[in-house]
Amino acid sequence: MPVIGFHNSHEQVHPAALLRAVQHAEEVGFTAAMCSDHLTPWNPRQGESGFAWSWLGAALATTSLPFGAVNAPGQRYHPVIIAQAIATLGAMFPGRFWVALGSGEAMNEHVTGDKWPRKELRDARLRECVDVIRALLAGEEVSHDGLVTVDRAKVYTLPEQSPALIAPAVSVATARNGADWADGLVTINQPHDKLREMIAAYRDAGGRGTLALQVHVSWDPDPAKALGMAHDQWRSNVFPPPLCWDLDSPEAFEQASAHVAPEDVTEAVRVSADLGQHTAWLQEYVELGFDQIYLHHVGVEQQAFLDAFGSHVLPQLGVTVPAPAVAVPR
């Protein structure tokens, strides 16, 4: 039985409205949740930037869902601060929190004034951050000199069971590289052959744990509205790496996407007015081997989507019981 979760996009929805949305998601049958962690939206029309870690405390306290967050330690966030945040949520909400640790995007990270490193340096910095965070979650005092610097850090409030540290990946190489440190893999909807290759690369390199997928969807009973909503909100998100890593502002993404046509967005977003079609697409992802699927409705308004998918899509996928805890003992 798959876990079907609700993805909360802080770039698009005011945090108070997003909190109401995730509470409603639980009411209509979604069995897990995850959220982004951005300083800026992807384009000026999205227009929000709620602080994920404040919001996560409220969301975990007012639902019973397990939650994940996508985070980039190393530049905007020092890894010691992220370790403390992970530990506190893990201690307060045992077995209900996981975090995906990635190398980040320039648009969120350039605000420190530090140089935006080359990808190989960002990957090396991420690995240092992962090692620091794991050691702190194990109760160790950590000093480290490298691409990040740590001086005698220790986290005193620790969870009994460390939350899972997940590798986020959009490429085969990144999936393979995450296999030696991660407790699971999370990616986004891409062509099936690419997803199969990523899963194989992760597993063949020794990758363990949960396979999770974030799926961008756009639904409205009116097909034209469903497509228009996807184009309005998500046309700035159709670019593959390295462009999406290196553009440094919402305005830059807006300019880059000026000539993206509505039909081009369907390569990144599953757009349909047919709930049966959405069900079929999600079933295909289950058959590919994903244990958890998180739906990101790219529109700003969430309730109609939640009601429709809760009534007509989740039951067809067999979603009838709460999701298992995500945390992985080490």
Side-chain angles (χ1 to χ4, degrees), residues 111-131:
V111 295
T112 64
D114 296 325
K115 180 181 178 181
W116 181 236
R118 300 188 306 273
K119 182 64 165 79
E120 66 268 23
L121 293 176
R122 300 199 305 271
D123 287 345
R125 180 174 66 182
L126 171 62
R127 183 54 194 268
E128 290 183 19
C129 289
V130 169
D131 291 344

Side-chain angles (χ1 to χ4, degrees), residues 33 48 57 59 83-84 91 103 119 137 150 163 175 219 232 281-282 302 312:
E48 297 290 348
Q84 186 183 28
S103 59
K119 182 64 165 79
L137 292 176
V150 181
W219 172 83
D232 176 69
W281 281 330
L282 295 175
Q302 300 291 317
H312 301 289

Side-chain angles (χ1 to χ4, degrees), residues 47-102:
E48 297 290 348
S49 62
F51 185 53
W53 295 91
S54 300
W55 183 87
L56 279 162
L60 281 156
T62 58
T63 72
S64 62
L65 298 174
F67 274 80
V70 182
N71 174 263
Q75 189 158 329
R76 181 168 53 109
Y77 289 113
H78 195 281
V80 173
I81 300 302
I82 294 305
Q84 186 183 28
I86 294 169
T88 297
L89 290 180
M92 293 180 69
F93 307 103
R96 291 179 54 203
F97 182 63
W98 56 269
V99 61
L101 300 173

